[in-house]
């Protein structure tokens, strides 16, 4: 990357040098040295610029892969339904980008546990009511 | 084990060829005043000649350094991988020998 940057600067200097050093007369046709330097400097600068950009992109990618740079999550655009749907109270919608598999699993596990506890409570209540009715029947028989 | 083609590809990646191109360009930039006879023979170097020789020398030196750097780092990586493989192999052999002795 440093190499490509130095070569980019050298290519830029090759393009500018005939005018900066004054060996190209002002307003006259380009001398052969100017033409040579200019047409050599342009490809050198372009190739060096391309290689610098490639190095920069690969550096960023490797930094992201190493976890040094964080990848920003892309939010999915939510399309709002026009008309009456706008008047309804919106239920809390979690963007799909934020939903990870572990969150979904956790929510489902909590829901299943709540349903199981509710079922158990109902069964216990039913069992206790059955016992009470049996006791009243036996009491009546005794009487 | 690594094939020689793979090793050569790792030692000379695409960037090395681009640097080789810059090296050849540097040679041309340095010798162009003499080839194009813009530098009078026997006279002191004119400013354009000095500029071209200096810029050409910079291009040659930087591109050579780049190629050597590529080769050095690739060679270091290859040697490190070979050492790690060798260590793993020795460890596996030791474990196999220990298991055989226990049985």
């Amino acid at each position: 990357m440093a190499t490509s940057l130095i070569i980019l600067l050298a290519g830029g200097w090759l393009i500018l040098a005939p005018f900066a050093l004054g060996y190209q007369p002002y307003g006259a046709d380009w001398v052969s040295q100017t033409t040579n330097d200019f047409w050599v400097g342009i490809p050198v600068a372009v190739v060096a610029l391309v290689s610098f950009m490639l190095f920069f992109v690969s550096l960023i990618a490797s930094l992201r892969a190493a976890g040094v740079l964080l990848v920003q999550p892309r939010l999915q655009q939510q399309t709002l339904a026009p008309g009456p749907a706008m008047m309804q109270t919106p239920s809390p919608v979690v963007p799909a980008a934020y939903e990870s598999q572990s969150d979904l699993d956790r929510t489902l596990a909590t829901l299943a546990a709540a349903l199981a506890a509710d079922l158990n409570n109902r069964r216990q209540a039913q069992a206790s009511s059955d016992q009470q009715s049996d006791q009243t029947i036996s009491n009546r028989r005794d009487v | 084990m690594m094939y020689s083609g793979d090793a050569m590809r790792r030692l000379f990646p695409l960037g090395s060829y681009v640097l080789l191109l810059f090296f050849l360009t540097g040679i041309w930039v340095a010798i162009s005043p003499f080839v194009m006879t813009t530098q009078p023979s026997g006279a002191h170097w004119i400013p354009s000649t000095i500029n071209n020789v200096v810029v050409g020398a910079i291009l040659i030196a930087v591109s050579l350094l780049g190629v050597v750097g590529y080769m050095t780092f690739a060679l270091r990586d290859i040697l490190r991988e070979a050492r790690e493989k060798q260590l793993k192999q020795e460890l596996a052999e030791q474990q196999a020998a220990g298991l055989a002795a226990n049985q």
Side-chain angles (χ1 to χ4, degrees):
Chain A
M1 198 164 158
T3 307
S4 56
L5 189 64
I6 293 169
I7 292 175
L8 174 66
L9 292 174
W13 172 247
L14 266 181
I15 296 167
L16 289 175
F19 310 101
L21 294 175
Y23 57 84
Q24 166 60 39
Y26 182 75
D29 285 340
W30 283 6
V31 295
S32 58
Q33 197 61 54
T34 306
T35 312
N36 179 52
D37 283 355
F38 187 79
W39 288 114
V40 171
I42 280 182
V44 167
V46 169
V47 173
L49 183 66
V50 169
S51 60
F52 180 78
M53 283 164 66
L54 287 175
F55 271 119
F56 188 75
V57 168
S58 76
L59 178 71
I60 294 291
S62 53
L63 283 176
R64 275 188 186 150
V68 178
L69 288 179
L70 294 174
V71 183
Q72 288 184 345
R74 288 181 183 172
L75 291 174
Q76 288 186 345
Q77 285 187 344
Q78 295 175 9
T79 52
L80 293 172
M86 293 283 284
M87 303 300 286
Q88 292 173 357
T89 51
S91 58
V93 177
V94 181
Y98 292 139
E99 280 183 3
S100 61
Q101 191 63 36
S102 59
D103 289 343
L104 186 67
D105 285 345
R106 245 177 274 153
T107 312
L108 284 175
T110 313
L111 190 65
L115 282 172
D118 193 33
L119 274 174
N120 278 335
N121 288 337
R122 280 186 188 175
R123 278 179 190 163
Q124 281 175 358
Q126 199 173 3
S128 63
S129 66
D130 286 348
Q131 277 180 355
Q132 279 179 356
S133 62
D134 287 345
Q135 275 182 353
T136 50
I137 289 168
S138 62
N139 286 339
R140 280 177 191 169
R141 279 180 188 163
D142 290 342
V143 169
Chain B
M1 294 296 285
M2 184 182 284
Y3 292 108
S4 59
D6 290 338
M8 289 301 284
R9 221 169 288 137
R10 286 183 67 174
L11 283 174
F12 299 103
L14 184 67
S16 289
Y17 294 105
V18 177
L19 286 171
L20 185 71
L21 209 65
F22 283 136
F23 177 74
L24 295 175
T25 309
I27 290 176
W28 168 247
V29 169
I31 66 169
S32 64
F34 308 101
V35 174
M36 296 173 76
T37 62
T38 51
Q39 166 63 35
S41 74
H44 285 297
W45 284 6
I46 57 175
S48 69
T49 307
I50 296 171
N51 176 58
N52 275 35
V53 169
V54 169
V55 173
I58 289 171
L59 282 177
I60 290 169
V62 169
S63 55
L64 269 183
L65 275 175
V67 171
V68 170
Y70 261 127
M71 281 179 67
T72 309
F73 286 122
L75 203 60
R76 188 195 63 176
D77 289 346
I78 289 171
L79 286 175
R80 193 178 285 172
E81 281 174 19
R83 264 184 218 148
E84 280 175 4
K85 265 186 189 173
Q86 199 176 358
L87 282 173
K88 275 182 189 172
Q89 204 171 355
E90 283 176 7
L91 199 68
E93 282 174 5
Q94 282 177 359
Q95 283 176 348
L99 281 173
N102 286 335
Q103 286 174 355

